[in-house]
Amino acid sequence: MIALQPREIVTPRPSMSLSIPDGMSRVEFFNSAANLKNLAEENGLFRTPEDLLMYRKLIGHSTEFDTSIILDTSRRILDPLGRPVRRDQMNRQQKKVWAKMTTILIEYMLEKYPDPEKHLILCGEASLDSTWPLNKPGVPSIRMIHNHFMVFPVADIKAAKLADSNNPNLTDSGHNTLFLRHLSDVYHEFLDVLDLQLLSFLPSEDCTLSLTGYPQGLPSWELIGGAEKLNDQYFWYEFEQVLRGFLDFYQTFFTLVATGEERIPPNANFPTQIADVLLGSNRFLRVARDLREQVIQDPQFANDIRWRPAYKQILYRDDKGRLIVTISQNSVGNAITELLGLVINRVEDNEGYSKKEPALVERLLEARERLIAANLGEAISAPCWPNGEFVACR
């Protein structure tokens, strides 16, 4: 019998050749415009007029398929703390192109890997909290919103060793996260207000992966109609409604923690539901007040609070072949894959990576061709694919 527990996958990565100035931390440098320029030039695949950049994840999660789209505002907004970090901070045109690129890449993954018993497909969108200290360990290396597309062979997940269930990076799985340990019931009740037609609410245990038992306790929805509905603009409206509901919950809770005042945040999306379900819940109020007292008493704990909304919203294919949407808070240190119980140990291994790199890049270039065909932007020529074909560049 296969153990139902999170898995630790070892993924080879190449050595990094970046030169970081003396006296500057890696996190500080990674958030600089200089590093982001290097990222585009060395690993960029495709850029749109809206500055949406598709690039190869050099230190990635998977060597099967692994790419990201980032809203690269580094050339326009030099202050790293002033860059958009959430989808609701993007303008209408950026959202439109973002959704189109996401649809194209998901469709590519589904066509390339049609069997859910053989491959796990995951699309994860994360906000990289602009209020987090620049030099804080564990801060995401690029402080802008991004969408991450990954594929994992199920055989690799089965063969991976069991991960420690108490791994602090598994905080969104129900072990020790604030929302799921203390506020799960009220969280589900609050999000139940969403008037969704294409997304159908599922019990948490109904869409967990059979190998890991994750995601644990998170509100989840099935996309009725499957992949065909990715081209329906109403799906993307509903996808955003899920985010808006989460933001209301997060902002209401941390406003209460920060001020001690029971109030509806300005520009709330669902003010009536906030008043009735959240501020009307004795448990919600008690947990916030207990956390407020801990913040007052413990400076180290207080320094770890993310006061502004930070989220991970994912779309994945479950064991039954259904497309599932879920959303969670974005805890510092944890990765998108850990929502599904996959801890990725990225080990420097130039030889191991070089064996996987040609096929990986070939698939990335195949996917890029679809973006080019959709006339969304322009291809980028990088050292490893100068003319649209892979060449050994290290």
Side-chain angles (χ1 to χ4, degrees):
M1 183 175 177
I2 298 175
L4 191 67
Q5 191 172 331
R7 307 296 173 114
E8 182 177 326
I9 297 177
V10 177
T11 300
R13 69 167 180 85
S15 57
M16 297 293 287
S17 59
L18 287 176
S19 178
I20 298 175
D22 291 340
M24 193 176 197
S25 74
R26 293 175 65 87
V27 170
E28 289 169 328
F29 177 74
F30 287 156
N31 278 287
S32 71
N35 175 53
L36 288 160
K37 178 174 179 287
N38 177 277
L39 181 149
E41 292 177 348
E42 297 295 321
N43 290 287
L45 288 157
F46 187 83
R47 186 186 289 276
T48 76
E50 296 79 19
D51 282 330
L52 292 167
L53 171 68
M54 175 188 176
Y55 64 98
R56 185 257 301 262
K57 296 283 287 188
L58 194 58
I59 302 182
H61 294 76
S62 170
T63 53
E64 180 65 34
F65 187 84
D66 198 318
T67 187
S68 277
I69 298 172
I70 191 170
L71 178 59
D72 180 11
T73 57
S74 62
R75 305 294 289 274
R76 294 190 290 106
I77 304 172
L78 298 185
D79 175 10
L81 300 182
R83 297 170 184 158
V85 294
R86 301 196 312 269
R87 193 173 354 115
D88 62 316
Q89 296 170 332
M90 300 166 72
N91 65 41
R92 184 175 181 180
Q93 178 63 16
Q94 288 168 339
K95 288 181 186 179
K96 181 179 178 180
V97 177
W98 177 273
K100 185 64 177 176
M101 294 177 74
T102 299
T103 297
I104 289 172
L105 291 180
I106 294 175
E107 287 178 338
Y108 171 82
M109 293 191 295
L110 290 171
E111 291 176 25
K112 191 77 173 179
Y113 305 99
D115 190 345
E117 294 185 0
K118 293 182 178 179
H119 292 95
L120 171 63
I121 291 173
L122 167 65
C123 165
E125 178 182 306
S127 80
L128 309 185
D129 184 6
S130 64
T131 66
W132 200 246
L134 276 173
N135 59 352
K136 180 73 175 178
V139 171
S141 59
I142 299 174
R143 194 177 295 264
M144 285 177 284
I145 186 173
H146 76 269
N147 216 353
H148 200 160
F149 303 83
M150 292 170 276
V151 176
F152 293 94
V154 170
D156 290 354
I157 300 174
K158 288 182 178 179
K161 72 175 185 178
L162 300 182
D164 180 3
S165 295
N166 294 317
N167 183 320
N169 287 338
L170 289 167
T171 51
D172 286 294
S173 63
H175 290 287
N176 56 7
T177 188
L178 177 69
F179 283 17
L180 298 186
R181 178 190 268 182
H182 300 293
L183 298 171
S184 180
D185 290 344
V186 69
Y187 186 31
H188 281 75
E189 182 183 354
F190 179 75
L191 290 181
D192 194 42
V193 70
L194 301 177
D195 182 21
L196 305 177
Q197 305 301 316
L198 299 181
L199 291 175
S200 177
F201 195 81
L202 287 175
S204 300
E205 62 276 8
D206 188 45
C207 52
T208 56
L209 299 182
S210 59
L211 288 175
T212 66
Y214 284 61
Q216 292 184 343
L218 294 176
S220 301
W221 298 263
E222 176 188 358
L223 174 56
I224 302 301
E228 291 183 4
K229 293 300 181 180
L230 293 173
N231 286 294
D232 188 330
Q233 285 302 308
Y234 196 73
F235 162 70
W236 294 104
Y237 167 78
E238 293 193 357
F239 194 69
E240 181 135 330
Q241 288 297 93
V242 170
L243 172 59
R244 292 181 184 278
F246 168 83
L247 293 177
D248 273 7
F249 187 97
Y250 197 112
Q251 289 175 319
T252 302
F253 182 79
F254 282 102
T255 295
L256 183 55
V257 173
T259 67
E261 300 175 7
E262 300 175 23
R263 66 187 188 202
I264 298 173
N267 304 317
N269 300 289
F270 306 103
T272 301
Q273 188 77 349
I274 290 174
D276 293 346
V277 176
L278 300 185
L279 299 182
S281 166
N282 289 331
R283 181 163 184 80
F284 183 84
L285 300 177
R286 184 173 66 253
V287 172
R289 285 167 180 156
D290 289 347
L291 186 69
R292 176 176 170 81
E293 186 61 30
Q294 190 173 355
V295 169
I296 292 171
Q297 299 296 333
D298 186 346
Q300 186 171 3
F301 177 81
N303 193 48
D304 288 337
I305 295 293
R306 306 192 85 167
W307 297 102
R308 299 294 176 88
Y311 68 93
K312 286 187 172 77
Q313 187 170 6
I314 66 174
L315 176 65
Y316 67 98
R317 184 175 66 186
D318 72 354
D319 299 335
K320 300 175 183 178
R322 301 175 299 182
L323 293 180
I324 307 295
V325 172
T326 191
I327 191 166
S328 177
Q329 68 185 65
N330 187 359
S331 301
V332 171
N334 68 329
I336 288 170
T337 58
E338 285 150 9
L339 293 184
L340 298 180
L342 301 181
V343 178
I344 311 300
N345 183 8
R346 291 169 278 193
V347 176
E348 184 175 317
D349 179 359
N350 286 310
E351 182 178 353
Y353 186 79
S354 65
K355 293 177 181 178
K356 301 281 189 178
E357 186 178 23
L360 169 63
V361 171
E362 180 180 350
R363 289 187 282 270
L364 296 180
L365 293 175
E366 272 185 359
R368 182 180 73 171
E369 284 300 312
R370 301 196 178 194
L371 299 177
I372 295 171
N375 197 31
L376 295 176
E378 295 183 350
I380 297 175
S381 179
C384 290
W385 46 89
N387 300 303
E389 296 182 0
F390 173 75
V391 297
C393 57
R394 273 180 296 278

